[in-house]
């Protein structure tokens, strides 16, 4: 698989692991010393905007989505610059977060996001070395979820 296809696959697998609440799968996509940079508006009180280490990132990401009924991350285009065993890129995504409001109605907090990514090839596999989340805009709408 060429580098660009492998990096696109990595972005898709990251989204699928988050949506599937797959801690082991998500951990396998991150360099052990990876960094996650969150926008200040999304950082919970007492937490740091920069999370370092694969296990800490997985705990942060899955912890932030644990209260949601479901998530759906749709990965769109990527812009990539590959240089040997490192790469940098920007991955566009729409992130849907389905939750119940105070009245029990289902709502979707949808965010248009971009990940500013840095990648490193380790043992022949591309891994995320740094992921910075940028939120461009959002909306919050009522939704229907079959079987919910």
């Amino acid at each position: 698989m060429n580098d660009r296809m492998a990096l696109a696959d990595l972005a898709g697998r990251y989204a699928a692991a988050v949506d599937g609440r797959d801690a082991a799968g998500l951990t396998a996509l991150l360099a052990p010393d990876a960094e996650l940079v969150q926008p200040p508006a999304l950082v919970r009180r007492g937490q740091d905007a920069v999370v370092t280490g694969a296990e800490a990132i997985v705990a942060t990401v899955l912890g932030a989505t644990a209260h949601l009924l479901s998530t759906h991350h749709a990965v769109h285009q990527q812009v990539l610059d590959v240089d040997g065993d490192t790469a940098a890129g920007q991955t566009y995504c729409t992130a849907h977060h389905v939750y119940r409001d105070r009245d029990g109605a289902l709502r979707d907090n949808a965010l248009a996001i971009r990940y500013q990514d840095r990648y490193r090839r380790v043992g022949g596999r591309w891994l995320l070395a740094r992921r910075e989340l940028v939120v461009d805009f959002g909306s919050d709408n009522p939704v229907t979820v079959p079987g919910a």
Side-chain angles (χ1 to χ4, degrees):
M1 181 178 323
N2 76 33
D3 291 332
R4 290 181 185 280
M5 287 177 59
L7 292 165
D9 185 64
L10 177 59
R13 288 180 185 279
Y14 182 96
V18 173
D19 292 343
R21 309 300 192 268
D22 180 1
L26 190 55
T27 302
L29 304 173
L30 300 166
D33 61 344
E35 288 184 333
L36 172 67
V37 181
Q38 306 166 91
L42 296 183
V43 177
R44 293 183 176 159
R45 188 184 259 22
Q47 292 183 340
D48 196 342
V50 180
V51 180
T52 304
E55 290 180 11
I57 292 169
V58 170
T60 298
V61 171
L62 295 185
T65 59
H67 70 286
L68 299 168
L69 182 63
S70 69
T71 59
H72 177 92
H73 291 79
V75 178
H76 306 297
Q77 75 270 21
Q78 272 188 314
V79 178
L80 299 164
D81 294 307
V82 179
D83 184 15
D85 288 338
T86 62
Q90 183 167 240
T91 302
Y92 288 76
C93 179
T94 304
H96 295 273
H97 307 95
V98 178
Y99 68 97
R100 289 192 186 277
D101 68 13
R102 290 183 179 141
D103 298 326
L106 294 174
R107 299 199 56 90
D108 174 20
N109 178 246
L111 302 174
I113 61 176
R114 289 175 288 128
Y115 292 109
Q116 307 292 324
D117 292 330
R118 297 203 179 276
Y119 310 93
R120 184 168 58 237
R121 191 181 348 238
V122 178
R125 287 184 51 232
W126 284 106
L127 300 174
L128 281 158
R130 184 175 193 274
R131 177 155 259 203
E132 181 174 350
L133 173 61
V134 176
V135 177
D136 290 324
F137 59 89
S139 64
D140 196 275
N141 301 295
V143 293
T144 302
V145 177

